[in-house]
Amino acid sequence: MDHVDEAVIPASGSWTGPLAEWTARRLEPVVIGLGAILIGLVLFSLFILALGKSPLMLFQLMYTGGFASWFSIQNSFSRAAPLLLTALCVALPARLGLVVIGGEGALALGGVAAAAAALPLTHLLPPFPTLVGMALAAMLAGGVWIGCVGALRHYRGVNETISSLLMSYIAIAVMNQLVEGPLRDPASLNKPSTPPLPADYMIGSLPGMDVHWGFAIGIAACVLTYLLIETTTWGFAARIAGGNTRAAEVQGLPVGRLIVSFTALAGGCAGLAGMIEVAAVQGSANGAIIAGYGYTGILVAFLARHNPLAIIPVAILIGGINASGGLIQRRMGLPDATVLVLQGTLFVVILACETLYGRFKLFNPELWKRNS
Amino acid sequence: MDSTAIGLWGVPLAILAGAIRVSTPFIFVSLGETITERSGRINLGLEGTLVFGAMTAYAIAVITGSPWLGVAGAMVAGAIFGLVHGFICRWPKVNDIAIGIAMMQFGLGLAFFLGKPYIQPAAPHLPSVPLGFWSDMPQIRAALDINVLFLAGVALAFALRWVLADTRIGLTLRVVGDSTDAARAMGINPDLVRLVATAVGGALAAVGGAYLSLYYPGAWNERISSGQGLMAVALVIFARWNPIGCFLAALLFGGAGALGPALQSVGVTSGYYLFYAAPYALTLIIMIATSSPNRPVPGMPGALSLTK
């Protein structure tokens, strides 16, 4: 490698040099990820074929329902909004090596906290500061909740996967109790809800679109957390602590504070998703905000390999697939859980394909050097 | 039918009766998870297996008219789920906890998809044994109307304790769970043992699901499980991977789950949803109390990746 040219330009079929290595490293997750999605789609097609239905028609409907027109794309964006934030609730702790799956509970608590904050604020403040106050209340509620998961993990050694899920059930019970009891709007009869937000206090649509601001907030959150992880010392310290806790402690990093603050931030994101559901979609906190966004967020985060920027396209993709569920149900007579089966299949196959990382010589610069 | 006939005694009686009714799925799932975890692998997907088992059992019972065929079918389905989990987890770089979460979502999705046509029809229920025949009190009779699967679960807990402690199969399982290397040195194939253990665990979890759909609450719908499959994982830690402990812990959890309805039946209705959260809170408190940041939980199989 005497010449710079040789280092960059492929010579006789073998491509080496820093650029090639960089490309290979970046390409590996993309190729393996897309390959895994393909395998998942084939398996799912076999399942649909076994039921005597046409998988091609199903995929076509999925495209029509999710992405074919500006209308359906806007629908997909709206459905992606909470997923962007609940996926961050999984992806951020994952940087520290933690598997947190309780985003649904943080979302529920965030929603109910936002609704509770709105009760006094709508009488005191104009819409914008009220929404800011609601968002802060939601982030605080979700942040404290998932921050507890991180604290329990670090200071008590409690497995975060199980504790976060148990706390999710507790959070949903707390939300039900509050919505049925002290926060209940007497006017809500069959469907217990908090008092509705006045129409002018709702989060509106993005300019020129039929997509609420929650989508932009979700994208901004993904970009900001990406910058946080990749460019700040705080994010760097978190990655060190995630790689090897003992080594990080020996180096004098405040591992406990890192874990608590990262999990709290993650919970804050999920709480914000709850506030958006309340302020942009439902208009009040009620049982409808527990719609499984927390669980779908787990899938989105794993698909995106816990990279906040990759969460954006994945959330839109999954949001689009979810948006097409109704169409598939009407046109093909398949149950609405079809989408869940597809998601489950993709989830299992993609995680199983983790085994392929580092196996292909093509993507592994260390192997190139060893052989040359 | 006079609920005041035994007065306040109704509350502990209702909790006891509830504990027996509610604990059965916990017994089966936790015994299954004990077998899996004793082999050094964790299966968080049992929640999905449980719900899929509930759906399979109900569907087969509706079609064939026999609840027992339903239970058998659920066991086969659960074993298949376990085999898939165990098969994938054998591969390098695959995280068994993450695969568990994925299998849970897959199992739930598949159960909701295939179970859609079975929400309406009624299936024959599993029989129960009226152990309260000696009493005139309807409450006592109702409380001691005990399902056969509960009795089978109790028998299984004692049988499993014997197998683990005193048989060659149990020894093999324990060696594999404590050290993969030691197992290899003894000529045991750890992957094969774990595969079988995961399959057996899945089959037992599915029986827990069959109990839910075929006895209590006794119908198939998408809300049939409220996290029993996952709480069982915490329950196994609490029970220290000991089958008898699993049985007692399941009774405790069942009692906590019955607290809300029992209090409601005597007129305490405020905080109903908070009582509903009691089993989860209890599980969490137990986990906090028994964990430690510095040492593994006593009795934990050495090869288990639960606390890395």
Side-chain angles (χ1 to χ4, degrees):
Chain A
M1 279 191 258
D2 299 326
H3 296 282
V4 179
D5 291 348
E6 256 186 38
V8 181
I9 297 166
S12 66
S14 73
W15 205 49
T16 50
L19 183 63
E21 287 186 14
W22 186 87
T23 316
R25 287 219 167 85
R26 292 282 152 152
L27 223 51
E28 184 177 28
V30 175
V31 171
I32 292 180
L34 290 179
I37 290 177
L38 197 68
I39 297 171
L41 289 179
V42 169
L43 286 177
F44 179 70
S45 302
L46 292 176
F47 171 70
I48 295 297
L49 271 178
L51 293 167
K53 306 269 181 180
S54 157
L56 282 179
M57 183 178 170
L58 189 121
F59 293 133
Q60 202 178 358
L61 287 176
M62 233 167 233
Y63 174 70
T64 315
F67 308 101
S69 66
W70 181 228
F71 173 79
S72 51
I73 289 174
Q74 295 188 105
N75 195 0
S76 304
F77 282 176
S78 297
R79 288 183 186 249
L83 296 180
L84 292 164
L85 291 163
T86 52
L88 285 177
C89 187
V90 183
L92 292 177
R95 283 304 166 111
L96 289 152
L98 304 183
V99 186
V100 169
I101 60 173
E104 188 89 351
L107 183 149
L109 277 188
V112 81
L119 287 178
L121 290 179
T122 45
H123 297 293
L124 299 170
L125 297 170
F128 185 71
T130 297
L131 288 171
V132 172
M134 287 170 71
L136 289 177
M139 291 185 71
L140 188 69
V144 168
W145 202 247
I146 303 294
C148 281
V149 171
L152 284 176
R153 167 69 203 227
H154 184 73
Y155 298 107
R156 289 295 315 167
V158 178
N159 180 277
E160 75 284 355
T161 313
I162 300 168
S163 72
S164 67
L165 205 101
L166 290 171
M167 284 178 71
S168 185
Y169 283 105
I170 296 172
I172 290 168
V174 167
M175 179 196 143
N176 282 332
Q177 186 67 46
L178 288 173
V179 171
E180 288 271 2
L183 294 178
R184 180 168 182 168
D185 176 16
S188 62
L189 298 171
N190 294 330
K191 184 179 157 192
S193 301
T194 56
L197 274 182
D200 52 338
Y201 279 77
M202 295 278 287
I203 295 185
S205 296
L206 289 164
M209 291 169 86
D210 196 21
V211 181
H212 58 73
W213 271 95
F215 182 64
I217 295 170
I219 301 258
C222 287
V223 174
L224 286 177
T225 49
Y226 176 81
L227 294 175
L228 178 80
I229 292 170
E230 297 294 332
T231 63
T232 66
T233 47
W234 195 48
F236 182 67
R239 277 188 285 156
I240 302 282
N244 187 334
T245 312
R246 287 300 302 277
E249 268 169 350
V250 169
Q251 298 217 345
L253 284 173
V255 175
R257 259 187 288 156
L258 275 171
I259 288 180
V260 173
S261 54
F262 244 70
T263 45
L265 182 66
C269 290
L272 190 60
M275 176 268 179
I276 288 169
E277 279 300 288
V278 167
V281 183
Q282 303 289 338
S284 67
N286 57 55
I289 67 170
I290 306 163
Y293 288 121
Y295 297 112
T296 313
I298 305 169
L299 167 67
V300 172
F302 273 96
L303 268 172
R305 288 182 67 75
H306 309 303
N307 176 342
L309 282 189
I311 283 175
I312 298 172
V314 175
I316 294 171
L317 181 73
I318 298 291
I321 291 175
N322 281 347
S324 64
L327 195 65
I328 291 166
Q329 202 180 351
R330 283 193 303 277
R331 294 270 186 86
M332 294 184 72
L334 288 168
D336 50 357
T338 312
V339 175
L340 288 181
V341 178
L342 174 61
Q343 286 181 1
T345 313
L346 287 177
F347 201 173
V348 174
V349 173
I350 281 158
L351 287 176
C353 285
E354 290 275 309
T355 191
L356 298 177
Y357 280 89
R359 291 262 187 105
F360 298 116
K361 198 188 152 200
L362 182 65
F363 300 127
N364 201 336
E366 271 81 54
L367 288 182
W368 304 351
K369 281 171 198 155
R370 211 172 296 162
N371 288 2
S372 60
Chain B
M1 284 293 126
D2 185 7
S3 66
T4 55
I6 46 174
L8 279 177
W9 279 105
V11 176
L13 189 64
I15 291 176
L16 175 73
I20 291 173
R21 264 200 309 272
V22 180
S23 64
T24 307
F26 283 121
I27 295 175
F28 279 96
V29 189
S30 61
L31 289 179
E33 184 71 21
T34 298
I35 296 172
T36 307
E37 289 192 16
R38 278 282 183 135
S39 81
R41 184 166 283 149
I42 182 164
N43 186 357
L44 283 188
L46 288 187
E47 174 77 12
T49 312
L50 176 103
V51 174
F52 194 82
M55 189 283 297
T56 314
Y58 199 77
I60 292 178
V62 167
I63 294 166
T64 63
S66 159
W68 292 110
L69 279 177
V71 174
M75 285 183 82
V76 173
I80 293 172
F81 266 76
L83 282 176
V84 172
H85 183 277
F87 185 73
I88 294 174
C89 288
R90 283 169 64 164
W91 300 338
K93 291 187 190 169
V94 172
N95 178 340
D96 53 356
I97 290 187
I99 286 286
I101 299 167
M103 286 297 290
M104 176 181 8
Q105 291 206 343
F106 177 71
L108 292 174
L110 202 60
F112 296 169
F113 183 97
L114 297 174
K116 201 83 184 172
Y118 298 101
I119 291 178
Q120 288 295 338
H125 279 194
L126 288 165
S128 56
V129 184
L131 291 180
F133 59 87
W134 47 270
S135 170
D136 294 332
M137 298 265 198
Q139 289 92 343
I140 292 177
R141 278 171 172 265
L144 293 178
D145 204 25
I146 289 167
N147 186 270
V148 241
L149 276 186
F150 177 81
L151 302 172
V154 178
L156 184 67
F158 284 91
L160 187 60
R161 200 207 119 78
W162 173 73
V163 168
L164 280 174
D166 295 327
T167 68
R168 189 167 183 85
I169 300 171
L171 181 68
T172 309
L173 195 68
R174 283 185 291 141
V175 168
V176 171
D178 272 329
S179 166
T180 311
D181 293 335
R184 285 218 178 86
M186 284 174 69
I188 304 169
N189 179 353
D191 283 340
L192 184 68
V193 173
R194 286 188 184 135
L195 191 67
V196 173
T198 323
V200 173
L204 289 181
V207 174
Y211 174 87
L212 286 177
S213 64
L214 292 177
Y215 188 71
Y216 184 79
W220 158 250
N221 64 57
E222 294 181 358
R223 293 170 309 281
I224 191 156
S225 165
S226 40
Q228 278 101 330
L230 268 148
M231 286 160 69
V233 178
L235 194 151
V236 171
I237 303 171
F238 175 47
R240 299 273 192 273
W241 295 270
N242 174 356
I244 307 293
C246 285
F247 164 59
L248 296 174
L251 270 185
L252 184 68
F253 279 38
L259 192 62
L263 286 172
Q264 204 186 23
S265 71
V266 292
V268 183
T269 50
S270 64
Y272 173 71
Y273 286 95
L274 293 183
F275 282 118
Y276 179 77
Y280 311 105
L282 178 72
T283 314
L284 189 64
I285 290 167
I286 287 168
M287 282 193 70
I288 294 170
T290 55
S291 299
S292 160
N294 301 321
R295 53 176 171 78
V297 183
M300 186 172 87
L304 200 61
S305 63
L306 190 61
T307 47
K308 285 168 273 180

